[in-house]
Amino acid sequence: MAERVISVSGAPYDGHSREAALESAATLGFTHFEPAFIVGYTEPFDETAFTPSEMTSWRSALRSSGLLCHAMSSHIDLGFEDSVEVFTGRMAFAAAIGAKVIATNAAARQREATFRRNVETILRRAEAFDIIVGLENPGDGSDSLINIARDGISLVEEFGSPFLKLNYDAANTASHRPDMDDLAGDGILALPESAHAHIKDVRETDEGWFFCDIGDGKVGCERLLAAIAKLDSLPVSIELPLRLHRNRQAQPVRRQDPVPLSTIEDSLARSLKVVRRALNHNQ
């Protein structure tokens, strides 16, 4: 049986250099790093982040750190007229640095028709790149094509492509649909149609939703991880965007200053221990 991939997202390292993040992740014992290009979660970026020279730079940095890349987060709304070309560039970039899964949002429900047209082309290109598009549920409270697991399952089953799966994140549902009582159960429901899963935890306060060490929040990560452990090889990524929280309107709010590297490492080390123990990881 293949070793299960446990990645760390670049999101916790928001504000720190790529090299510092990679060195830290390797020191903590991670084997895989998931680059994160998520508007609102990380430093601002544009499509110049995905040029051939950046591909080369990322490959070199990963090689120097001894880390591999299995997944990349690069969220856009696939329902815009230019989404095919934008996402094609991001798929090419992800594949070039070794990723087998690229996570993105689906689309706002109002753009469903364009989304469906776009995905037909995107999937042909995904097959050419040999990369799976992992649709992720949002956390911003909007009306998306994927609001809960059942929506994502229906969408993936409808297209019936091995290159379109889910990258479900049960913690996102906490702020996206606050009336959802069983976050772990919703995440477990999505697993059969998932190619990858983001693992993070969240606490709810009067000011909104704050990300915390895995197992310390309301998601029920132990139960979710126990279900994942029964699946032979579903890869996961620990994603703890500690620099931001979501306000009561579910919108991301980033702190002015980056979180100290020592704080990030403490949280990731504790979370990695929980995940490895739950998944019976032998490292």
Side-chain angles (χ1 to χ4, degrees), residues 3-278:
E3 185 82 356
R4 186 191 305 273
V5 171
I6 301 175
S7 303
V8 61
S9 167
Y13 293 104
D14 179 26
H16 296 276
S17 71
R18 174 179 59 199
E19 286 67 28
L22 291 170
E23 180 181 356
S24 169
T27 299
L28 290 172
F30 285 97
T31 56
H32 291 72
F33 189 87
E34 178 189 359
F37 297 93
I38 310 172
V39 173
Y41 266 50
T42 54
E43 295 287 348
F45 62 91
D46 58 26
E47 299 316 302
T48 61
F50 307 103
T51 60
S53 63
E54 283 297 307
M55 293 176 191
T56 301
S57 181
W58 265 99
R59 282 198 299 261
S60 176
L62 285 163
R63 188 166 53 249
S64 295
S65 70
L67 296 174
L68 300 171
C69 174
H70 179 83
M72 186 176 97
S73 286
S74 193
H75 295 51
I76 68 168
D77 183 313
L78 297 179
F80 287 107
E81 293 297 336
D82 67 344
S83 294
V84 170
E85 294 312 312
V86 169
F87 201 64
T88 295
R90 298 189 183 195
M91 288 192 293
F93 180 91
I97 64 172
K100 297 301 180 184
V101 178
I102 180 169
T104 180
N105 293 127
R109 193 168 299 277
Q110 69 196 54
R111 289 185 281 276
E112 181 174 4
T114 306
F115 166 85
R116 291 180 180 280
R117 287 197 305 272
N118 287 347
V119 168
E120 296 289 353
T121 303
I122 286 169
L123 290 180
R124 288 195 296 272
R125 296 181 181 182
E127 182 173 8
F129 291 125
D130 192 25
I131 193 167
I132 296 170
V133 178
L135 298 178
E136 184 168 345
N137 51 311
D140 63 0
S142 62
D143 188 16
S144 169
L145 291 179
I146 303 178
N147 292 317
I148 57 175
R150 193 177 300 108
D151 300 331
I153 294 166
S154 297
L155 205 56
V156 168
E157 288 180 343
E158 180 183 339
F159 280 94
S161 168
F163 295 96
L164 186 70
K165 297 293 181 181
L166 297 178
N167 176 68
Y168 210 73
D169 189 326
N172 285 350
T173 314
S175 55
H176 192 66
R177 291 294 180 263
D179 57 349
M180 171 69 72
D181 293 327
D182 189 1
L183 297 171
D186 193 56
I188 291 167
L189 187 64
L191 293 179
E193 296 297 341
S194 296
H196 190 261
H198 276 164
I199 307 297
K200 61 177 183 275
D201 215 339
V202 63
R203 291 189 179 122
E204 185 175 358
T205 74
D206 291 341
E207 287 75 43
W209 291 267
F210 291 79
F211 300 107
C212 60
D213 294 0
I214 291 169
D216 288 354
K218 65 178 293 181
V219 172
C221 288
E222 295 91 342
R223 188 169 144 232
L224 175 59
L225 288 164
I228 292 173
K230 296 175 183 177
L231 303 174
D232 284 347
S233 59
L234 182 73
V236 300
S237 181
I238 295 174
E239 185 195 45
L240 296 178
L242 299 174
R243 189 177 177 179
L244 63 82
H245 73 278
R246 288 188 178 274
N247 63 22
R248 293 308 304 181
Q249 291 72 46
Q251 299 308 300
V253 179
R254 287 172 75 232
R255 302 180 197 174
Q256 183 173 358
D257 298 317
V259 177
L261 193 58
S262 59
T263 302
I264 296 168
E265 290 178 337
D266 286 347
S267 185
L268 286 175
R270 287 193 294 269
S271 295
L272 179 59
K273 185 176 181 180
V274 169
V275 171
R276 280 182 167 161
R277 185 170 62 240

